[in-house]
Amino acid sequence: MRRGRPGARPRGGGAAIRRAAGEERSLASVGDGAAGTDGGPDHAGRPVRGPAGQAAEASRLWHVTLSVSGPEAPLAEVGQALEKLAHDHPFLLTSRYARDHAEIRYWEEARDLRDAAAVALRLWGEHRSTAKLPPWEIVGLEVIDRATYHQRIAEGYGPPPASRIGVHPY
């Protein structure tokens, strides 16, 4: 299932779409292995240019950690709700939960940190009813780029090691 993100470039094959004004633009997959398709530098390190020589906007990967908290809820119901959220949105990497709080980690593709944070801040509220999530509030958000994430891991001060991929109690 594809979700729209403000400012993010669509993820598609090499298809073309027509806009309302009749303007056509090409869709490209991010990181599909072809130089220049993701808006980043080509194999020689030069920025890729779009139509009419305009610089193409690059999507980047952001590691998101969303923390939520609220009144106690039955542990089994919290687990089932997070499993439903993970099933509906397979981008979720891991979730840990207790009766009164949870932490969700995942990779988000977005143009910049603001776009990734905006999507993360909407995640819990937008899916509260469909996944039957507890009425908790967001109490923490960390959004870091891929390079920072890997640097933290390499230096030993990254996020606490996640348990297996999936949804798990603390």
Side-chain angles (χ1 to χ4, degrees):
M1 178 193 294
R2 194 178 293 181
R3 298 183 307 143
R5 293 178 181 83
R9 295 183 57 170
R11 303 176 208 178
I17 62 169
R18 292 224 177 256
R19 294 180 133 172
E23 173 187 316
E24 189 174 292
R25 68 181 177 136
S26 174
L27 299 177
S29 225
V30 173
D32 67 358
T37 58
D38 65 351
D42 65 9
H43 292 297
R46 297 179 300 258
V48 172
R49 299 290 173 185
Q54 302 168 0
E57 291 184 38
S59 279
R60 297 167 50 191
L61 285 177
W62 301 89
H63 187 266
V64 176
T65 303
L66 182 69
S67 300
V68 293
S69 180
E72 283 194 12
L75 199 58
E77 289 180 20
V78 174
Q80 289 172 349
L82 290 171
E83 286 283 355
K84 173 76 170 130
L85 181 62
H87 181 270
D88 290 347
H89 300 282
F91 59 86
L92 294 178
L93 181 60
T94 187
S95 297
R96 300 185 304 170
Y97 63 93
R99 292 177 194 264
D100 62 350
H101 65 282
E103 176 185 89
I104 300 168
R105 289 193 217 165
Y106 64 96
W107 288 98
E108 180 67 54
E109 181 183 72
R111 180 188 60 196
D112 59 23
L113 182 135
R114 253 185 301 243
D115 288 347
V119 171
L121 290 170
R122 290 192 313 264
L123 177 71
W124 193 261
E126 286 182 357
H127 301 289
R128 184 173 289 153
S129 64
T130 58
K132 298 181 180 161
L133 297 167
W136 296 345
E137 67 177 329
I138 296 171
V139 295
L141 173 65
E142 180 184 54
V143 180
I144 57 175
D145 68 352
R146 188 175 183 195
T148 302
Y149 175 82
H150 288 294
Q151 179 183 8
R152 286 183 178 181
I153 297 299
E155 293 175 357
Y157 65 93
S163 47
R164 302 173 312 279
I165 301 286
V167 177
H168 308 283
Y170 275 101

